[in-house]
Amino acid sequence: RNPTIIQEPGDIHFTKEKEWTIIIYMAADNDLANFARKNLIQLASIGSNERVNILVQLDTTIQRKKKVTLRYYVEENKLTITNYNDPASQQMDSGSPHTLIDCCRWAIENFPAKNYMIDLWNHGIGIIDIERRRMLNPSELFTFNPQH
């Protein structure tokens, strides 16, 4: 089921602190745009609740040429674009560290929580070991101890 998309006239925010705010930072102004849309629909199938805020900053293209950055507050079956009337936040470069910092500032200032999690969403190639010029297998980072 496709969620309802709402365009708010201004930034929405909450003053009540929740347990968690989850920030999904989607860099999809490339061949990942369709996957980003699919993941937005999946997120809206669950949505935020009384304990968790789910936020998405999506950097994508529309009409195959215009680059746009949209910020969503995700609720069950509802995606609210919170920066609809803010042109400055609609033209951000997801590859810039300043954009990531601005996204986190927006989330922290508008959606207070005891804990924050950020998901850097992209192609998912994993961790690159620069010194050895190779990709790390995530299983190399963890150990499994069946006795515990």
Side-chain angles (χ1 to χ4, degrees), residues 9-132:
D11 258 358
I12 63 168
H13 63 277
F14 296 98
T15 55
K16 182 181 177 213
E17 183 180 71
K18 293 190 180 181
E19 192 67 32
W20 283 90
T21 290
I22 298 171
I23 308 156
I24 297 120
Y25 188 80
M26 287 186 167
D29 57 342
N30 48 35
D31 59 336
L32 295 176
N34 288 333
F35 296 102
R37 288 182 194 94
K38 180 180 178 182
N39 283 171
L40 277 172
I41 291 168
Q42 291 170 327
L43 288 165
S45 72
I46 307 267
S48 300
N49 59 40
E50 64 280 347
R51 297 185 64 225
V52 177
N53 293 311
I54 300 175
L55 309 174
V56 174
Q57 177 160 313
L58 172 62
D59 193 26
T60 190
T61 54
I62 55 174
Q63 301 164 354
R64 297 186 181 211
K65 37 190 147 163
K66 183 182 176 192
K67 184 176 169 177
V68 65
T69 305
L70 299 171
R71 290 177 169 170
Y72 293 96
Y73 179 70
V74 181
E75 296 174 87
E76 188 174 358
N77 297 316
K78 181 178 168 186
L79 296 167
T80 302
I81 300 172
T82 66
N83 66 332
Y84 183 70
N85 286 331
D86 182 12
S89 70
Q90 291 180 6
Q91 297 295 312
M92 299 178 129
D93 175 9
S94 62
S96 165
H98 300 292
T99 301
L100 176 60
I101 291 166
D102 188 70
C103 174
C104 292
R105 183 178 296 121
W106 160 72
I108 291 166
E109 289 175 359
N110 293 291
F111 302 92
K114 293 177 185 171
N115 303 285
Y116 292 89
M117 183 194 95
I118 187 158
D119 176 3
L120 303 175
W121 185 103
N122 64 14
H123 280 92
I125 60 168
I127 299 168
I128 299 174
D129 183 347
I130 295 173
E131 291 180 12
R132 293 195 208 144

